[in-house]
Amino acid sequence: MTSTIEPRLYRAAPGELAGRLIAITGAGSGIGRAVALACATHGAEVVLLGRTVAKLERVYDEIVAAGGAEPVIAPLDLEKATAKEFDAIAAGIGTRYGRLDGLLHNAGLLGDLSPIEHYDVPLWTRVMHVNVTAAFALTQVMLPLLRAAPDASVLFTSSGVGRRGRAYWGAYAVSKFAIEGLVQVLADELSGTTSVRVNAINPGGTRTAMRRAAYPAEMPEAVPPPEAITAAYLCLLGPGGRGTTGATVDAQAPAAARGTVS
Ligand code: NDP
């Protein structure tokens, strides 16, 4: 079900996310950092999940310096975490808050850009694990907390190559197709019986370390910085996204309209 809102043009009101607890993976850099800051600026309490604690601490400091609520730092390496560690994160949030209002699966691994014929099998497994299996596993342990919230939102990160395959994007593209499928399955399972909504967001080409790795010859200014694309995230993670589930949403105008590739 999709509402008539246009998330990328959404303007969240000041304090719109107040009272919401939002967990974000890969919150230490790139898009995850920008969305964490934007959520906190709009009143949310954020749980910063990531594998590099020093980066999470920097984001923590930035949020506090901007006047946001003190975040929670939750170290989690999605590639190496055991089931016990996933459980411990959920248990920690459950004990302290008893609910979770938003879960943004943002962390991602690019892997190699190479033909399927030559794609390294162990690397393929790592990319699929971080981008798909770990996001599924984290969602699974968080579901009781999401159900306990009055209006919870789960947001998975897709990509243009997760909607239309492109040569040499290998495991990354396939993992994003899987994410689109996971969103459809989970949204269908939860609609009607819970208030938990589940959607996918495609950030579009954005100035981050991953973008630089994928397009080393591109001028950084050719794509917007992460801070410029947070509107759709705020919409879908907050009350603006009510009534939208099972959708796949763009954070930016289509790449063709901007003259870039995403
Ligand atoms: P970045 O490389 O800047 O950020 C990726 C984040 O994922 C980092 O915080 C990184 O942590 C984290 N991460 C990677 N591996 C793990 C792991 N094993 N455990 C925990 N965290 C991990 O990329 P972006 O900000 O660009 O990417 C964010 C999302 O947006 C990704 O899902 C990506 O696929 C998607 N996307 C990005 C586009 C773009 O143009 N930038 C376009 C389309 C989709 P650390 O910093 O510690 O390495």
Side-chain angles (χ1 to χ4, degrees):
M1 179 174 55
T2 308
S3 68
T4 52
I5 49 157
E6 180 48 275
R8 72 188 158 83
L9 303 176
Y10 190 76
R11 286 185 183 222
E16 184 163 306
L17 300 187
R20 283 179 195 256
L21 181 70
I22 297 176
I24 298 170
T25 68
S29 57
I31 295 167
R33 169 187 163 274
V35 175
L37 278 159
C39 287
T41 304
H42 286 81
E45 218 171 318
V46 291
V47 180
L48 306 171
L49 292 153
R51 65 175 167 179
T52 312
V53 173
K55 289 184 185 177
L56 301 177
E57 287 173 344
R58 276 200 292 276
V59 178
Y60 175 104
D61 289 343
E62 287 180 280
I63 287 173
V64 172
E70 209 176 311
V72 175
I73 290 181
L76 183 68
D77 184 330
L78 295 169
E79 189 176 340
K80 300 187 179 131
T82 60
K84 243 182 173 173
E85 287 169 76
F86 282 101
D87 287 341
I89 297 271
I93 295 174
T95 303
R96 187 160 165 189
Y97 299 95
R99 63 167 219 292
L100 182 64
D101 304 282
L103 175 57
L104 170 60
H105 295 288
N106 162 81
L109 200 57
L110 178 63
D112 258 355
L113 296 180
S114 80
I116 294 290
E117 189 174 5
H118 301 301
Y119 206 97
D120 182 64
V121 174
L123 180 59
W124 179 284
T125 306
R126 289 178 57 209
V127 172
M128 294 301 288
H129 186 81
V130 171
N131 293 2
V132 185
T133 309
F136 144 71
L138 186 60
T139 307
Q140 193 179 57
V141 297
M142 295 295 197
L143 265 175
L145 297 171
L146 292 158
R147 284 181 203 270
D151 171 34
S153 167
V154 186
L155 190 52
F156 289 88
T157 305
S158 185
S159 165
V161 296
R163 296 175 183 168
R164 175 149 190 88
R166 198 182 305 152
Y168 315 127
W169 282 76
Y172 179 83
V174 173
S175 74
K176 297 301 188 180
F177 268 92
I179 284 299
E180 296 274 350
L182 175 56
V183 164
Q184 291 179 21
V185 172
L186 185 60
D188 198 33
E189 286 178 10
L190 297 179
S191 73
T193 55
T194 78
S195 59
V196 182
R197 48 201 152 91
V198 184
N199 295 291
I201 189 163
N202 169 22
T206 308
R207 203 179 308 160
T208 66
M210 185 185 287
R211 180 74 186 185
R212 268 197 308 282
Y215 296 91
E218 181 180 77
M219 294 292 285
E221 297 73 26
V223 291
E227 295 71 27
I229 64 151
T230 57
Y233 288 85
L234 293 175
C235 174
L236 292 166
L237 289 167
R242 273 191 200 123
T244 301
T245 195
T248 185
V249 166
D250 288 322
Q252 302 185 45
R258 290 179 286 110
T260 62
V261 182
S262 67

